[in-house]
C-alpha cells in the first residue's frame, strides 16, 4: 500500500516562532517518513525573494523542516504563489522541487492538476494583472535590487494592510467553466490554492468521480488535502491531540472558534 500524499497552500509563514509557524512545523514534522509526497501549492512564504546569496532569517525553521522532510524520503514540491513568485535557486539545493506554474501529476492512479490560482482569479482583472506583474522576471530583478532588510520591512507593512476576507465565497466560474475545462483536458482532480476558502466540489461522471478542491489556508483554516488509499479528502487540522475532521461538500470558511 502506498503512503499518503498531501497538498496544502497559503501557509503565509512570516515569523520563526508564532502560533501559525508552530502549527505548520508540527504538521510537516509529522509527515517525515509517513508521506509519499507533500505539495505546497503557493504562498508558503508570506514574502519571499529568490536572492542569489541571501536568505531571510525568519524562515530558517521552515527551511530546516523542508530539508528534514526531504531527508526522510518524502518528495517535496513547492509551487510559487503571488506572495512568493520568485522561488530562486536555494530551495532546489535542499532537494525541494520547485514549480513556477501549473503541473499535472499522477497521484494514486489519478491525474491531478495543481496550480496556485492567482493568475486565473475570476474576481477581477486588476487582481489578475497584479499577480501577473508579480510573476514577471523583471519585477523580481527590481525587487532584489532593494536591500533585503528594507524589503523585509516593507513586506511586513504590506502584510499588516492585507487581511483576508473569509466572507467571500468561491467564484462560480471556478467550479463551473474552469473546472469543466480542466476535466475535459484530462484531470480527475483539480487542486487550487490562493482563495483561502476550503472547497470540496465532487461531481459524479460516467468515468468516475471528478473533484475540485480549494485548499483553504493555515492563517485561519488549517486545512489540507490528503490522498490515501485512492481517496482524496479535505481535512481540518485540530492539533496534535485530536484527529483531523473531513470537510463535507461545499465552500467553507474558518470554524467559528479558533483552537
Ligand atoms: Mn495567493
Amino acid at each position: 500500500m502506498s503512503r499518503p500524499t498531501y497538498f496544502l497552500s497559503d501557509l503565509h509563514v512570516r515569523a520563526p516562532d508564532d502560533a501559525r509557524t508552530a502549527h505548520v512545523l508540527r504538521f510537516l514534522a509529522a509527515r517525515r517518513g509517513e508521506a509519499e509526497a507533500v505539495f505546497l501549492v503557493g504562498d508558503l512564504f508570506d514574502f519571499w525573494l529568490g536572492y542569489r546569496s541571501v536568505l531571510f532569517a525568519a524562515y530558517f525553521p521552515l527551511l530546516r523542516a523542508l530539508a528534514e522532510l526531504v531527508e526522510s524520503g518524502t518528495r517535496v514540491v513547492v509551487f510559487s504563489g503571488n506572495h512568493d513568485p520568485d522561488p530562486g535557486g536555494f530551495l532546489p539545493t535542499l532537494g525541494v522541487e520547485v514549480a513556477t506554474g501549473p503541473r499535472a501529476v499522477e497521484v494514486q492512479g489519478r491525474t491531478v492538476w495543481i496550480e496556485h490560482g492567482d493568475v486565473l482569479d475570476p474576481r477581477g482583472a486588476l487582481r489578475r494583472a497584479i499577480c501577473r506583474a508579480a510573476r514577471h522576471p523583471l519585477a523580481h530583478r527590481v525587487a532584489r535590487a532593494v536591500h533585503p532588510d528594507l524589503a523585509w520591512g516593507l513586506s511586513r507593512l504590506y502584510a499588516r494592510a492585507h487581511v483576508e476576507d473569509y466572507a467571500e465565497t468561491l467564484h462560480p466560474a471556478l467550479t463551473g467553466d474552469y473546472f469543466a475545462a480542466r476535466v475535459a483536458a484530462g484531470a480527475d482532480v483539480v487542486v487550487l490554492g490562493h482563495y483561502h476558502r476550503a472547497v470540496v466540489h465532487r461531481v459524479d461522471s460516467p468515468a468516475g468521480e471528478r473533484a475540485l478542491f480549494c485548499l483553504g489556508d493555515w492563517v485561519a483554516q488549517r486545512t489540507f488535502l490528503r490522498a490515501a488509499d485512492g481517496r482524496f479528502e479535505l481535512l481540518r487540522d485540530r492539533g496534535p491531540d485530536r484527529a483531523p475532521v473531513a470537510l463535507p461538500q461545499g465552500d467553507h470558511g474558518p470554524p467559528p472558534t479558533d483552537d
Side-chain angles (χ1 to χ4, degrees), residues 11-26 28 43-48 56-65 152 155-156 159-160 218-219:
L11 294 84
H12 287 271
V13 169
R14 186 185 325 141
D17 55 358
D18 65 357
R20 183 188 311 170
T21 302
H23 287 307
V24 168
L25 295 181
R26 168 180 51 76
L28 294 177
D43 292 356
L44 164 60
F45 306 98
D46 198 51
F47 177 67
W48 172 271
F56 292 119
Y59 294 133
F60 178 69
L62 176 61
L63 295 170
R64 185 170 64 175
W152 182 252
S155 79
R156 293 186 72 92
R160 228 171 283 151
W218 282 62
V219 178

Side-chain angles (χ1 to χ4, degrees), residues 5 108 110 200 202 209 213 225-233:
T5 286
Q108 304 193 354
R110 312 277 282 165
V200 178
R202 299 182 194 272
E209 185 188 272
F213 297 100
L225 181 65
R226 181 171 66 193
D229 305 324
R231 172 98 184 142
F232 285 70
E233 272 193 311

Side-chain angles (χ1 to χ4, degrees), residues 85-158:
D86 172 28
F90 180 72
L91 293 170
T93 70
L94 302 178
V96 171
E97 294 172 49
V98 169
T100 53
R103 263 207 201 177
V105 297
E106 291 296 313
V107 176
Q108 304 193 354
R110 312 277 282 165
T111 301
V112 185
W113 177 266
I114 310 169
E115 62 182 309
H116 183 61
D118 53 318
V119 294
L120 53 92
D121 195 326
R123 296 173 296 181
L126 180 62
R127 284 180 195 243
R128 289 195 297 278
I130 291 169
C131 291
R132 260 191 228 108
R135 287 178 178 276
H136 197 281
L138 183 63
H140 304 163
R141 281 231 297 282
V142 170
R144 286 197 303 259
V146 177
H147 188 280
D149 285 331
L150 180 58
W152 182 252
L154 291 172
S155 79
R156 293 186 72 92
L157 287 179
Y158 173 71

